Amino acid sequence: MPERLGKLGHIGIAVTDIEEAKRLYGEVLGFTLTAEKEMPERGLKVAFLETGNTKIELLEGTTPESAITKFIEKRGTGIHHLSFEVSDIRMVMKELADEGVRLIDQEPRTGAEGHLTAFLHPKSAMGVLLEIEEE
Ligand code: ZN
């Protein structure tokens, strides 16, 4: 079978204080801050940091309705999702749906880095929230 999901693009981490998290990953752990974005329409502050060929996405919820705020209320801070690169997101979404995988997004949305992304339902992935991102 051809590869459906490519390499791990980033690991999403839910945090309550993105400045403190940036300091930990940046100054203490030595990651390089590569991008930052506020997404008020989704109640999110996002920062990307990299080390070696590994990228993390720090996510802080800025409103009570934000998916990240709700996630932290239920499960605390920590790993929120894994994101894998795909070359044709619409094709992969259709193939996964045909395989019976539940998708949270029926249509791709534009992610923090401007790429098309979609989330698979954790109930279809052993409790792990998986994101696919078109590169
Ligand atoms: Zn992500």
Side-chain angles (χ1 to χ4, degrees), residues 10 57 81 83 131:
H10 63 262
E57 175 183 36
H81 66 271
S83 180
E131 177 180 34

Side-chain angles (χ1 to χ4, degrees), residues 38-120:
E38 284 208 40
M39 305 175 82
E41 70 285 1
R42 285 193 210 150
L44 279 182
K45 277 189 199 171
V46 180
F48 288 95
L49 294 99
E50 295 184 19
T51 188
N53 59 3
T54 301
K55 188 194 290 191
I56 60 168
E57 175 183 36
L58 300 174
L59 299 145
E60 179 191 321
T62 55
T63 65
E65 300 77 36
S66 158
I68 294 300
T69 307
K70 289 182 178 164
F71 175 88
I72 291 174
E73 275 169 15
K74 266 198 240 167
R75 301 177 61 171
T77 58
I79 294 178
H80 177 258
H81 66 271
L82 303 179
S83 180
F84 291 89
E85 297 179 355
V86 298
S87 52
D88 183 340
I89 195 166
R90 284 191 171 80
M91 188 182 79
V92 171
M93 288 172 75
K94 184 185 177 313
E95 289 172 352
L96 293 175
D98 289 347
E99 296 277 359
V101 174
R102 277 174 66 187
L103 303 171
I104 291 176
D105 300 298
Q106 302 314 312
E107 274 295 312
R109 49 171 135 169
T110 304
E113 293 184 292
H115 300 151
L116 292 177
T117 79
F119 284 93
L120 283 49

